Amino acid sequence: MIVRHVNDVIGTENEVRTDTWISRRVLLKKDGMGFSFHETIILPGTETHIHYKNHLEAVWCVEGDGEIETIADGKKYALGPGVVYALNEHDEHYLRGGKMPLRVICVFNPPVSGQEVHDADGVYPADLD
Ligand SMILES: CC(=O)NCC[C@H](N)C(=O)O
């Protein structure tokens, strides 16, 4: 069994920081679960263009506020505690931070390896070792 605390990831290479989010990747591809499991903080007032062409992602919003806009149809959804969204169609979207840090728990299938960041098109690479 694997038992970890998010504090074991903070400050390590598996806490990935960008200008718009911080991702603490607690379970990774190498753990063999078939998914990866992250705590992510979306920074207030930011916008991130995301298009997970190679992954499915489900997101559970725990605290804070923000917004997601699906680009294909221009629909906007408010994000806050208890909201869950699943990018079951690899939906290209804008993820926006609100007034407060938005803390979410994310699952990726297939799992990320640990160091992925979005490329210019909002994509994570298919298989990083
Ligand atoms: C919700 C979302 O996709 N945020 C970007 C970072 C991602 N959650 C990650 O943990 O790599």
Side-chain angles (χ1 to χ4, degrees):
M1 187 170 73
I2 299 167
V3 179
R4 291 186 183 133
H5 194 288
V6 67
N7 289 346
D8 299 334
V9 172
I10 291 172
T12 72
E13 63 175 3
N14 295 327
E15 181 184 45
V16 175
R17 291 172 171 265
T18 73
D19 290 342
T20 59
W21 52 260
I22 301 165
S23 175
R24 294 147 184 169
R25 291 148 178 193
V26 177
L27 293 175
L28 297 168
K29 179 181 177 185
K30 66 183 178 195
D31 293 312
M33 295 294 290
F35 57 85
S36 57
F37 204 35
H38 320 179
E39 178 185 69
T40 301
I41 311 295
I42 309 301
L43 300 176
T46 62
E47 178 180 89
T48 310
H49 172 224
I50 297 176
H51 194 185
Y52 293 123
K53 295 181 184 178
N54 304 308
H55 298 83
L56 297 170
E57 184 195 27
V59 177
W60 188 308
C61 303
V62 176
E63 65 181 350
D65 66 305
E67 179 184 80
I68 185 169
E69 176 179 346
T70 42
I71 291 174
D73 57 12
K75 287 188 180 171
K76 297 179 181 178
Y77 305 86
L79 301 178
V83 177
V84 174
Y85 67 86
L87 303 168
N88 60 317
E89 296 182 321
H90 302 275
D91 314 67
E92 185 179 12
H93 61 282
Y94 292 112
L95 181 61
R96 301 187 179 105
K99 291 187 165 54
M100 305 290 290
L102 176 65
R103 188 164 67 88
V104 305
I105 306 300
C106 313
V107 177
F108 278 78
N109 168 24
V112 306
S113 298
Q115 303 312 307
E116 289 85 348
V117 291
H118 301 116
D119 70 12
D121 296 321
V123 179
Y124 282 175
D127 201 6
L128 205 64
D129 277 320

